[in-house]
Amino acid sequence: MKIWHIYARHYNFGDHALGLAARNLFRQYFASNVIFETVDTHKLWIDSRKVDEINRDADFILVGGGGLIHTFGLGGRAWMLHLPTSLVAHIAPRIGVFGVGFNQFRTESQRLRPSVCRNLSAIQKQALFFSVRNDESKACLTQNGIMADEIADPGFFLDGNYPEPKVGRPYAIVQLAFDSVADRGVDRDRLITGVNALIDHIIARGLKVVLAPHCKPDIEISNAVRAASRHRDDIHVWDYYESISDDWLPHQLGYYKYAEFVAGMRGHAQIIPAGMGVPFLTLANHRKHRDLAIRLGMSDYCVEIGDDLAVELPPRMDALLARRKELSSSLLAQTTTMRENIAAYLQDARIRFDRLPRMTLPTHYHLGRKGRSLRRRITDKIRY
């Protein structure tokens, strides 16, 4: 089976890593004999030529996970799967939308444009399954008139036998986000001051600090925090470019696996450690962060990015470490249940997939031997 896996590669460590988890889950519970064609959604704009290529090459299209339901391009009239509504019916392989997230910032409208809703509904109608991740994305879509299944974010299933990083002694990860700063409500100077108060507290407990930029803009703020710290020798900034490399991915995941705890500003700085049983502090700057912390029973360790971080973070860190073993056990138990549910979900999807004939194109879009491409046959205006 040839599966086109469309997701956000290369730009963000969390989204890049969850792609590995999604493919592993599919190999375990959907199809073991499979070839994946990985496709970066940032670079994919599907037109009639691309539809022709997909229909020739793919047996199934896997979309996600990651926060793909976010208005993107065409003045907010599209989302991050750039498949025009007028072309959806001409896609021959079945589509599976897998654990994607509703990713509108708090500063953005939570009501999607009608064109986005029409597109999501058209894809859902053709899809073998249409699921969103477990951070209240389902409720957000329901408010937009779209019903979806809910499964765990694939990033929960990234635990493995990874090499332990050579940090020198026990450490905590601090993960900072510095893209879309206006939407996140980030004040640079206040963030540096607040995070360094946390770092002082971490090092006073005998731990080192690993700063983990997930996106390229995170490098600058991570370096600025380290430069402003009195404890530079005890702070390590991991290599962002290694983190988005397939070859180095196990090494970077090892940082999360062996951390004492994580303090993070991104959703996958909650999700990845949670799946490994590593407790986390959340610096919430998006709707999804607090919603997920509540879901996982970690709301006591969640602060808002606009709070006085120097005051709020150190006592919450102490409270978290006092319950570290208990919290770790709870997170691992929840991950076990999530895996059982996702296994049943994919196994059921495979049963339904096997009962369905491969979708065929309408006869007037037939791809004949004379080279009549689908591109030349489509007369519809491409629109969302």
Side-chain angles (χ1 to χ4, degrees):
M1 178 184 291
K2 179 74 170 288
I3 297 179
W4 275 37
H5 183 195
I6 302 171
Y7 69 112
R9 280 176 63 84
H10 298 309
Y11 289 80
N12 179 312
F13 167 72
D15 287 335
H16 189 83
L18 71 81
L20 173 65
R23 291 190 293 275
N24 286 341
L25 289 167
F26 258 68
R27 288 190 181 100
Q28 285 181 272
Y29 305 121
F30 189 83
S32 57
N33 298 322
V34 60
I35 297 171
F36 284 101
E37 180 77 21
T38 56
V39 183
D40 187 349
T41 189
H42 294 92
K43 298 178 180 178
L44 179 68
W45 292 82
I46 298 174
D47 57 12
S48 54
R49 290 175 183 266
K50 185 60 70 173
V51 170
D52 199 357
E53 180 184 353
I54 290 169
N55 289 345
R56 290 196 309 268
D57 191 57
D59 299 302
F60 190 83
I61 301 171
L62 172 63
V63 179
L68 301 185
I69 303 179
H70 187 193
T71 50
F72 184 90
L74 300 180
R77 293 185 290 113
W79 61 296
M80 292 188 70
L81 177 63
H82 308 122
L83 170 58
T85 303
S86 59
L87 296 182
V88 171
H90 307 304
I91 298 287
R94 288 290 179 175
I95 299 171
V97 178
F98 189 59
V100 299
F102 185 95
N103 214 28
Q104 298 291 97
F105 283 103
R106 290 165 172 168
T107 55
E108 298 173 315
S109 174
Q110 303 302 296
R111 302 293 296 182
L112 299 173
R113 293 281 191 91
S115 58
V116 175
C117 292
R118 285 194 299 270
N119 187 259
L120 289 167
S121 295
I123 291 169
Q124 185 179 36
K125 184 177 179 181
Q126 179 162 325
L128 179 67
F129 53 82
F130 189 102
S131 58
V132 294
R133 64 192 181 193
N134 54 337
D135 62 356
E136 302 301 333
S137 287
K138 180 175 181 176
C140 294
L141 271 188
T142 299
Q143 292 172 2
N144 282 274
I146 298 169
M147 305 302 294
D149 301 328
E150 181 181 87
I151 61 171
D153 186 295
F156 281 103
F157 310 107
L158 281 165
D159 199 2
N161 186 24
Y162 303 125
E164 187 171 352
K166 298 177 181 179
V167 175
R169 67 173 187 259
Y171 62 91
I173 286 180
V174 177
Q175 190 286 311
L176 306 176
F178 208 60
D179 60 334
S180 305
V181 291
D183 290 320
R184 295 183 187 277
V186 173
D187 180 286
R188 184 179 187 276
D189 293 338
R190 289 185 63 199
L191 180 62
I192 291 173
T193 300
V195 169
N196 266 314
L198 175 64
I199 287 174
D200 290 345
H201 203 64
I202 292 171
I203 291 173
R205 295 286 295 260
L207 305 176
K208 283 195 170 185
V209 173
V210 172
L211 296 173
H214 280 203
C215 283
K216 191 173 181 180
D218 302 351
I219 300 172
E220 189 274 331
I221 193 65
S222 298
N223 288 333
V225 164
R226 183 176 183 273
S229 174
R230 299 174 295 164
H231 307 285
R232 293 172 204 165
D233 292 343
D234 292 314
I235 300 172
H236 169 69
V237 182
W238 85 6
D239 190 325
Y240 159 75
Y241 295 99
E242 289 181 355
S243 79
I244 56 168
S245 163
D246 290 337
D247 295 337
W248 282 92
L249 195 56
H251 178 72
Q252 307 306 111
L253 288 169
Y255 278 104
Y256 273 105
K257 180 178 179 68
Y258 297 104
E260 293 296 305
F261 74 95
V262 173
M265 290 178 61
R266 293 188 182 277
H268 284 106
Q270 302 172 289
I271 292 166
I272 294 173
M276 299 175 175
V278 177
F280 57 88
L281 291 171
T282 301
L283 284 66
N285 54 88
H286 192 290
R287 184 271 318 158
K288 63 186 178 183
H289 297 150
R290 183 167 291 278
D291 285 345
L292 183 60
I294 292 169
R295 275 288 189 98
L296 297 177
M298 298 293 291
S299 59
D300 288 345
Y301 315 103
C302 180
V303 303
E304 291 293 329
I305 197 66
D307 292 346
D308 188 338
L309 300 180
V311 172
E312 294 288 342
L313 286 174
R316 294 183 191 249
M317 170 190 142
D318 290 339
L320 181 147
L321 289 177
R323 297 182 61 209
R324 184 184 185 280
K325 187 174 181 179
E326 176 188 348
L327 293 171
S328 177
S329 296
S330 173
L331 292 170
L332 288 173
Q334 292 179 74
T335 301
T336 297
T337 301
M338 292 178 204
R339 178 177 282 276
E340 291 170 353
N341 292 339
I342 213 165
Y345 188 79
L346 288 177
Q347 288 165 351
D348 175 73
R350 182 56 198 248
I351 291 170
R352 291 185 288 110
F353 180 79
D354 288 339
R355 289 174 179 169
L356 292 171
R358 179 180 169 87
M359 288 187 66
T360 56
L361 295 171
T363 54
H364 58 287
Y365 291 109
H366 176 67
L367 306 179
R369 288 186 176 182
K370 294 183 178 179
R372 294 178 177 175
S373 70
L374 175 64
R375 170 177 47 86
R376 294 178 60 188
R377 286 293 192 174
I378 291 177
T379 57
D380 308 37
K381 179 182 179 182
I382 296 177
R383 59 174 178 264
Y384 280 81

